[in-house]
Amino acid sequence: MLLLVASSAFAYGPFVGPGAIDLTGGDSNVAGGDGTIWSSSINQPTGTGVYDPFLRVQNGGSEEGFNTDYGTPLPPLDDKAGIWTHSVQWNTLTTVTVEGNDYYVFQLDANEEQSGDRSLISLDELQIYSDSNGSRSDLNGLSALYDLDNGTDRTVFIETALKPGSGTDDLTVYIPTSFFSTVSGTDYMYFYCQFGLSDANTGLETGATFEEWRALQGGGNDVPEPSTLVLLGSGLLGLMGVRSRKK
Ligand SMILES: [Ca+2]
Ligand SMILES: [Ca+2]
Ligand SMILES: [Ca+2]
């Protein structure tokens, strides 16, 4: 007899439960529940900003790191040394305004193996800090201004098979600038991430290749054109529809 199973386009997921931000179906404009907006892939905002790399992390199994100018004798955690890992001053970030709210925008270029479920990856921790020193070797003593796990242990599930390889963006996140209202523009943004903390053999662990984060930079306020705004708004409405159907 014919057995019909999951209708998902992928064999793994959907990932459900409190704190699950599942982008594995190519989802756009998923509300993080803390004001953030997550997409597997969206059109880049038009205007003055450019996406500049500021952090590469690389390790098999799981990997963690933060951007810093510290590199001697070795960069901290699983940071990959080179021109892609460096400090970022707050006043270099571009502010994007969507429906009256201001955001900083970050993109992830993940670079996972593409066999079986290995193309999946989990983003388990994301914290953003500020400090006047751009060359820290650790983040001890700092308090996170943004924490993905604040209130709820969130996990972002990403399917890199949608945009395989290096040089293709796998995730975009809009983070409200209101989290960072106390920072000085000339201070440094520290962006800490950890991937692949899920149980082994789920495919969500990290492969041996690197992940790279980029920020929308160029400074100033970049108001999306009306067409972009409409797309974002309708995406949010679409999401609510999807959510209610799942219940
Ligand atoms: Ca993987
Ligand atoms: Ca988490
Ligand atoms: Ca990629």
Side-chain angles (χ1 to χ4, degrees):
M1 85 185 253
L2 183 64
L3 193 62
L4 291 175
V5 289
S7 60
S8 166
F10 294 92
Y12 311 97
F15 298 92
V16 293
I21 300 173
D22 185 358
L23 306 179
T24 58
D27 312 62
S28 289
N29 300 320
V30 176
D34 57 359
T36 54
I37 304 171
W38 301 79
S39 297
S40 60
S41 172
I42 61 171
N43 292 328
Q44 296 190 359
T46 56
T48 53
V50 209
Y51 283 97
D52 289 327
F54 63 88
L55 174 60
R56 274 189 184 181
V57 288
Q58 180 170 13
N59 194 45
S62 71
E63 64 193 10
E64 62 177 331
F66 61 90
N67 65 305
T68 176
D69 288 336
Y70 181 88
T72 308
L74 287 169
L77 302 175
D78 301 316
D79 279 20
K80 193 165 166 55
I83 57 171
W84 322 275
T85 299
H86 55 77
S87 67
V88 173
Q89 283 179 297
W90 289 100
N91 59 16
T92 67
L93 296 174
T94 299
T95 301
V96 173
T97 306
V98 180
E99 296 180 344
N101 297 313
D102 290 342
Y103 300 88
Y104 295 132
V105 189
F106 303 94
Q107 284 192 330
L108 169 72
D109 180 1
N111 194 9
E112 288 295 278
E113 298 163 40
Q114 296 299 313
S115 61
D117 65 353
R118 301 192 65 79
S119 58
L120 294 167
I121 189 171
S122 63
L123 173 62
D124 301 282
E125 296 194 15
L126 174 57
Q127 292 149 18
I128 301 178
Y129 302 80
S130 180
D131 194 46
S132 57
N133 170 10
S135 304
R136 294 184 66 117
S137 59
D138 62 57
L139 301 175
N140 296 344
L142 297 182
S143 299
L145 300 174
Y146 173 74
D147 185 349
L148 175 68
D149 288 342
N150 187 26
T152 303
D153 182 7
R154 296 180 178 82
T155 307
V156 185
F157 299 93
I158 304 156
E159 172 54 272
T160 68
L162 296 167
K163 298 284 184 69
S166 171
T168 53
D169 299 314
D170 300 87
L171 173 152
T172 303
V173 57
Y174 281 58
I175 301 183
T177 59
S178 55
F179 285 108
F180 316 110
S181 57
T182 59
V183 306
S184 164
T186 52
D187 280 351
Y188 296 90
M189 177 203 70
Y190 281 99
F191 189 103
Y192 167 87
C193 64
Q194 183 153 23
F195 294 98
L197 281 188
S198 307
D199 292 341
N201 305 316
T202 57
L204 291 162
E205 61 269 30
T206 52
T209 44
F210 66 82
E211 271 62 57
E212 179 181 277
W213 285 99
R214 305 175 203 165
L216 186 62
Q217 288 183 267
N221 194 319
D222 187 5
V223 180
E225 291 179 353
S227 58
T228 312
L229 207 63
V230 169
L231 281 174
L232 268 172
S234 60
L236 285 167
L237 289 174
L239 165 76
M240 291 179 209
V242 169
R243 280 272 161 85
S244 56
R245 279 201 298 278
K246 277 178 178 171
K247 281 175 186 165

